[in-house]
Structures are given as structure tokens and as C-alpha cells.
Amino acid sequence: MLAVAFVRSPHAHARIAAIDAAAARALAGVAAVMTGADLRDRARPLAPRLLGGGFTPTEWPPLADGEVRFCGQAVAAVVAATPYVAADACEQVRVEYEPRPAVATVDDALAAGGVLFPRGWRQGEVETVFAEAPIVLRERFTHGRLAAVPLEPRGVVADWDGDSLTVWASTQIPSVLRSTLATALGLEETRVRVITPDVGGGFGLKTHVFPEDLVVAALARLIGRPVKWVEERREQLAAASHAREQRVDVELAADAEGVVRGLRARVVSDAGAYHIYPLTGALEPLGSAAILPGPYRAEAYEYEAVAVATHKPPLGAYRGVGMTMGAFVMERMLDLVAERLALDPIEARRRNLIARDAYPFTTASGMTYDSGDFPKALEQALALAGYDALRREQQAARAAGGLVGIGVACYTEYTGMGSAVFRRRGMEDVRGVEAATVTMDPDGGVRCATSFPSQGQGHATTIAQIVADRLGVALERVRLVPADTAVAPTGSGTFGSRGAVSIGGTVVAAADRIRTRLQALAGARLEAAAADVVLEGGHAHVRGFPERAVAVADLARLAYSPPLGGLPADVGPGLSATVCFDPPGPTFSGAVHVAVVEIDRATGRVRVRRYVVVEDCGPVVNPTIVEGQIHGAVAQGLGEALLESVVYDGDGQLLTATLMDYALPKADDVPAFEIGHLETPSPLTPGGM
């Protein structure tokens, strides 16, 4: 196997005048040096589509071909015997650049006419509402760039056997990667196999297909040997997708009681040099604009969502893409309403939250919230935090010269998106459908293969728990097969918090089909109706008569080796079921957060003293996993709020290229968490997930 390293541009924007790789090719151990011109006819650029007016497409080439458009863009690929030889050879590649002016800010991009995507929305009598409102507030909010920084960087291994391509990748979207590689390399999908081993974090970053994926696959095919690339952290910070960079100009109209009547917003996202594949640069501004009304009752809303092109890496998905900024803006505006009317921030929210009996509720942005109970969640969070006592403590601390703040925020998040959601957005390259295959083998052991890999959410545990319960076998008898497009059904992947909904619609349904067959087999053996058969403890028994039982493993053997006389009617041989599921969402989860924050007057250091979350994800399948996900999410949110920022100068040069400069939260930055659960089932999804 050979190693790949990339030569990357030091310029944000430049013409490539010449590339001299002779010295690099002459180094011992170097197998090849490839440029954009070398791969031009061997791998097509990434060119995501978005149907609808105003979309300006881009093509992101595997290697920069004639022009570089951001600092860190791959210009050449070196293939060598070891990563160290490859890195040394990269230093020997001479690239002659002709620098050009860089567009580094949203304002520069707007002035240059670099709009990649605009979309507008209008609901209700916006002008009338604002004209009649006694309170009108106007604010501008900005959010810097973020990097996902998963513990495990991107990594790809590709092997071409002369007829077909096998790729091992740290990805959230194995099926999408497979089809993208096939298209880019001009292969049939049946000749491309993607295997996803355990993934050490993704957070949305690995929902994308990147040029490096295409390059590694093309090199393996071209050279005829396995090729491997593992991203360095500097590459991850400089050349992978970023997130969040956005500006929101917002107006809010409220009546004299602080009830929000109308909203206006202009959301502009810095989408970088290219549309990210397959989601495009529309995802961030659309997400923020659509979710901005939050769990509140505003009746009139007008927004403009815009993505602009700059000379930076593309903006892509990262935890809660679009929704964090939308929630932040709305919560700050409600705090400003409370200030204007001298209300407690809690009271401003109570007067505006959607009532439990108003669901399903269609928001002013056109979204239909399927379920929720935010008034109850708010009161539960306040009780858990001891809100009244906190306010008294705050007054005492301030009287003594301390700086203590109490923050409250309510948010809702769309999830469970199926094909209809992506088609309404105009996204043709995201299938939206998921699938799972559940198989009980002749010895009674169970295998499950899904289209959506795990990247740390505990899928293996949750799936095994659900399948074991459905089939009446021990937890250790159930195995989740690693994601592999050769054995797993085709789907979309793991993103957008769709895991539980996808499991409910695929794994549960497939397990229930096998359960029905086992009950029929047991009913025939025990001379009982199939509906009266109970599966538990590794046995099938007649309800109310546990002594009339047969081992599940014995039933499995029967299914694969039918007895004389055959199997019961309508029960075919084998115990395997594949279920494809198109989630009916979006469905909406949500939470209320309470933070107690203290600032040191002398140093400015921020300390989070208390952090309370009451969340509602519908039925909680595994409380330990749910709470673990909340811990991780809050830690990332604290990093986003207090520490993290990808910073560029006016020439598009990255100033935060290492973890000495890009500040991640450490253990002592993260407080203990107090978590409460509220379970409001969705009427749309299997099991109310």
C-alpha cells in the first residue's frame, strides 16, 4: 500500500502558472506526483445540484486546475512508499502562482455580486403588523466560522483490483460516497464498494464528499496499488468544510404585552469558494431562516436567505447546521423584548410559547411542528434549576460586586427528514431514504446491517437492545454489522439527528417481520395461535403457559431446515427481512436550557457554574446514550459560544491553523450537567421517536 500527501496552496486566490514536480518524482520511494491536469479526464469535479431559481452552480475539482480559490486547496498529490517520503516530496514540488485579490468577507462578496444562492419567503401581513406594532426592535447578529474537529480526522483507503474499487472511509454517508465515486470515476455502482469501519466522530463534517476522496480513489485505479490518506489536523482546520459563518439582520414587532407578532430577517452565509457536496451552500442560511421563529407563535414573517462566495473553504454541515444561529437570534430578541418592557426573560417566553394543545402547529416560516410541550418543559427546567433561588443569589452576588448572569433558551430542531424534505429544498443528491436488514441465523444469533453507520451515537447498543426485545433473545446474541455497501442496503446515512427515527422505521420493522415468522413457527410447534405466542428469554411460549415453550434457536433451525411436511402456510424458509423507510418528517425535538455564568472582573474569564437541560426527543430508548449525547452537544455548544473561531485575515490567510490557535473546550471548561427528560411522542414516526 502507498501513502498520499497533498501539496496545498498558500494563497487564497491565485492562478497556477506552472507546476514543476521533477525533483519530487526523483526522490527514492515516490511512485507518482499528480496534478489537476493529470486527473482532469480521470475524475469529474464535485458539482452538487439544487433545483429552483437563482442557484449558481460550482465545480470543485479533485485537484486545483488552473486556479486556486482558498488557502489550503489541494494543488498536487504525491504518492510514495510511506507518509514521510510523501511529505518530503511535497516540499520538493515547485508551484508558480500568480496571486489575485481575495474576497474574504460577506460585504466584499456582496459587493462583487458573488451570490451563490438566494431564496425568499413571506407569510402573513408583514407590513401591517410592523406598522401597527407599538414595539419594533432591530438588531444585527454575526457568527464566526467553526471547524468540526472530530477526534478522528478524515481518512480514506482505496484498492483497485483491476475490475472494481473498494474504499474504506471514515464517512457518515457510505451509500452516497459510493454513488459519488462511481459517477466521478465513470464506473457502475456495482463496481464500487464502500466499507465504513468504526468512525471516531463526524458531527456533520463527514456527511460530505471531498475532493481528496476522489483523488485517492482515482490514484488507486491509475497506479494499480492500494493507496491511503489520513488527514493531518492542520489540513482538517484549513481544507475541510467549515460551518456557521453568518450575518443576520432581524426586525421584531411585538404588542404592548411583549407578544411577538411579526419578524423580518436577512440571513447571509459565507459559503466559501464552492458548494459543498451534496448539501450545497444553501443549507446554512435556509436552516437559520426557517427555524428562526423557534417554538413561538409569531404570525407574520418575511425572510431572505442568501449564500455568498468567498475565497475560503466551503461551508458545510456541522452539529445543528443553521439551527443554532436561528435559535440564538430569536432568544436574544426575546431578551431584548423583556428588557424593553422590564419583564423577567422567563415571562417574555411564557407569553410567546406555543401551547401544548396547539400542535400540530404551522409556523410563520411554513414548517409544521408535529408535537411538543414547551410550557411544560420550561417549568420543568426552572424547577430543576431552582430559578427563583438563582435570581436571589444573583442579586446578592451583584450587590457584592460579582458579575453573575442567568441565561434561558428554548429551541426546537427539525429531524427525521425524508425524501420529501430534500426535494422541497431542491436537493436531488440526497436520497432521504434509509434501510436495514435483520437476519436471524440458523443458530438463533441475529445480524443487523443498516444504511446509516454509527459515529459515536451508540447505534450498536440501541439496535441490539431493540432487536433483542423484539425477538426475545439475549442482548449479546445481536450483532450490528459494520457498514459495508456490499452487504448493507442502500440509504442516505447518519446526519441531522435522524438515527432514532431511522431505527424505528427500519430495524424495528424488519425485526417485527422476523418476529411474526417466529411466532407462526412456534404456534405450529406448540399447537397454538401465532398471536398467543410470546418471545422472551430465548424461548417462545404460549401466553400464560410458560411451560409450553420451544427455544428460539430451535425455531431458527426449522426455518432454514424445514421439517417433513414443510413450514406453516405463509411462512417461507429463512429468517431475513429488509425494510426501506422514507421518514415522514420533519418531526421536531426540542429543549430548554438554563445556564448560570460568572465572569471574573480582573481577568474576564468566564465560568459556567450551573447548566440545566430539559429535553424532549420523544420516547427515550436508552437514557444513558441520550444523556451522553446531550453532554457532548452541550460541551460543543460551550466551545462554540466561548472559545472556538476559525479566523482569516483580509487576504484570506488562515490565522488559526493549529489547536494552539483554535481553542477547543477542555475538561475543566465543562460544568456538571443536570438533565431532565420530557417525552412527547411524535404522531408521525414509528414508536413516536
Side-chain angles (χ1 to χ4, degrees), residues 638-660:
L638 290 172
E640 178 172 347
L642 300 176
L643 297 166
E644 300 179 47
S645 186
V646 176
V647 181
Y648 285 85
D649 68 12
D651 295 320
Q653 286 291 321
L654 179 62
L655 303 181
T656 51
T658 74
L659 294 183
M660 290 295 289

Side-chain angles (χ1 to χ4, degrees), residues 380-391 393 404-407 593-598 607-613 634 638 670-675:
Q380 188 174 331
L382 297 178
L384 186 59
Y387 183 76
D388 292 339
L390 287 179
R391 285 295 184 196
E393 292 172 14
V404 177
I406 301 170
H593 291 229
V594 180
V596 181
V597 177
E598 185 172 14
R607 183 169 72 92
V608 182
R609 286 172 34 181
R610 296 270 310 274
Y611 207 97
V612 173
V613 180
V634 172
L638 290 172
V670 181
F673 304 110
E674 299 162 71
I675 297 174

Side-chain angles (χ1 to χ4, degrees), residues 665-689:
K666 304 183 300 298
D668 59 352
D669 293 315
V670 181
F673 304 110
E674 299 162 71
I675 297 174
H677 300 284
L678 180 64
E679 298 182 87
T680 309
S682 169
L684 302 179
T685 62
M689 305 292 193

Side-chain angles (χ1 to χ4, degrees), residues 155-228:
V156 188
V157 175
D159 183 23
W160 174 258
D161 66 5
D163 177 70
S164 60
L165 177 71
T166 301
V167 172
W168 292 261
S170 183
T171 181
Q172 298 171 230
I173 50 169
S175 293
V176 175
L177 179 58
R178 176 196 186 197
S179 61
T180 307
L181 289 172
T183 299
L185 301 180
L187 296 170
E188 296 176 358
E189 283 197 39
T190 54
R191 297 172 65 191
V192 179
R193 176 185 184 185
V194 173
I195 301 170
T196 303
D198 288 339
V199 176
F203 312 118
L205 172 71
K206 297 172 185 176
T207 304
H208 312 124
V209 181
F210 289 95
E212 292 92 344
D213 303 322
L214 308 186
V215 172
V216 171
L219 290 173
R221 187 182 185 190
L222 185 64
I223 297 171
R225 292 174 63 181
V227 175
K228 176 182 181 179

Side-chain angles (χ1 to χ4, degrees), residues 22 41 88 130 200 233 261 269 287 307-308 407 419-420 433 459 493 510 521 561 626 644 667 683:
D41 298 324
D88 288 344
F130 272 87
R233 188 59 68 187
R261 298 285 313 284
S269 288
V308 297
S419 63
V433 175
H459 283 181
L521 289 168
S561 299
V626 170
E644 300 179 47

Side-chain angles (χ1 to χ4, degrees), residues 625-639:
I625 286 176
V626 170
E627 293 191 1
Q629 288 297 297
I630 294 168
H631 291 171
V634 172
Q636 284 180 287
L638 290 172

Side-chain angles (χ1 to χ4, degrees), residues 101 229 270 364 493 557-558:
W229 172 67
D270 180 340
R557 277 190 289 274
L558 279 178

Side-chain angles (χ1 to χ4, degrees), residues 295-336:
Y296 304 108
R297 301 190 311 267
E299 64 197 62
Y301 183 33
E302 181 178 16
Y303 72 70
E304 181 185 13
V306 179
V308 297
T310 61
H311 292 112
K312 299 174 188 173
L315 215 62
Y318 172 61
R319 199 160 197 162
V321 56
M323 286 176 276
T324 50
M325 187 59 167
F328 170 68
V329 169
M330 190 64 193
E331 294 303 305
R332 282 295 301 132
M333 293 302 285
L334 283 174
D335 284 344
L336 295 175

